[in-house]
Amino acid sequence: PKAFLCHVLCELGATDFDDALDGIDAWMRKHPDEFLVIFIEDVVSPKETAEAFERSGLLRYAYVPDRDAPSPTLGELIEADQRLLVMAENDAGGGRYPWYLQGFDYVQETPYTYNSLAEIEAPDNCRLNRGRPENPLFQLNNWIEKIPRSPDLAARINSLEALGARARRCARIRGLKPNLLNVDYYDRGDVFGVAN
């Protein structure tokens, strides 16, 4: 059996996992000054995921954190060519693959499901969902559960004004700036402007 990547409704389309990783490898070669985080919603086994990453050649970039050492800066990781962080949402294999991390041991996040604009704009939209408050990475989830997904709605909630205000508010409430901005339609709105 082959592994595929899909989002929300796999019946509407899926991408071969090996093909996707080959594309990521090509992107990493072309962008030597970038750091990439891959957070896998793992429906396949850790073994299948590890085998795909091994086939791809991407592991040459994998960062393996040392919990007993101070965390390096992104600049230090890029300089060392350890520019890839791979995490599993549920099961990273219990340490069998040192580069495949149990995501919510490192990440804390906001709620995952918002069903309306009012919910995503509500005062409590920064509260802790998964992870622990002391985890070093802060994932801000920013989409509205609507089928089919709406590019126009994404543009509105991903705007510099809306997403930027939410990121600043969550940073004040949580005491940590969002490191990971999870959105639908990254190319709608101004996700990169907010990140900058």
Side-chain angles (χ1 to χ4, degrees):
K2 292 192 73 148
F4 291 88
L5 297 176
C6 62
H7 183 57
V8 184
L9 292 174
C10 296
E11 297 83 3
L12 296 179
T15 301
D16 180 279
F17 194 25
D18 287 335
D19 291 346
L21 293 178
D22 288 345
I24 291 169
D25 184 52
W27 185 89
M28 295 288 286
R29 285 193 310 269
K30 290 179 185 173
H31 298 90
D33 294 333
E34 298 287 345
F35 188 91
L36 182 65
V37 176
I38 300 176
F39 204 151
I40 298 173
E41 182 182 8
D42 47 318
V43 176
V44 299
S45 73
K47 182 177 187 279
E48 289 172 290
T49 300
E51 288 170 350
F53 271 90
E54 288 163 4
R55 286 190 301 272
S56 75
L58 278 169
L59 294 181
R60 68 184 174 276
Y61 301 117
Y63 167 56
V64 179
D66 179 352
R67 283 279 201 176
D68 297 326
S71 295
T73 66
L74 281 179
E76 290 168 339
L77 290 169
I78 289 168
E79 184 72 25
D81 210 22
Q82 295 179 327
R83 304 181 289 120
L84 177 65
L85 179 63
V86 185
M87 297 182 289
E89 184 177 4
N90 297 305
D91 183 6
R96 187 171 35 211
Y97 313 102
W99 53 268
Y100 195 24
L101 307 178
Q102 197 64 44
F104 290 106
D105 288 350
Y106 294 88
V107 175
Q108 54 177 290
E109 70 169 356
T110 62
Y112 189 80
T113 302
Y114 302 98
N115 293 302
S116 68
L117 198 53
E119 284 183 22
I120 205 162
E121 293 174 343
D124 70 342
N125 71 10
C126 297
R127 72 184 180 281
L128 181 66
N129 187 30
R130 294 177 288 185
R132 295 181 311 272
E134 63 272 11
N135 289 355
L137 299 176
F138 178 20
Q139 175 174 292
L140 186 114
N141 296 316
N142 197 70
W143 57 79
I144 294 174
E145 292 293 328
K146 180 181 173 176
I147 305 290
R149 296 296 206 228
S150 168
D152 292 335
L153 183 56
R156 180 174 173 183
I157 65 173
N158 293 346
S159 70
L160 185 61
E161 180 181 274
L163 182 55
R166 183 164 180 236
R168 286 188 298 279
R169 183 175 59 254
C170 289
R172 278 193 313 274
I173 291 169
R174 300 281 284 272
L176 181 66
K177 289 182 182 177
N179 312 89
L180 306 169
L181 299 174
N182 284 3
V183 301
D184 278 340
Y185 296 103
Y186 76 91
D187 57 345
R188 300 295 176 103
D190 193 7
V191 176
F192 292 110
V194 173
N196 288 335

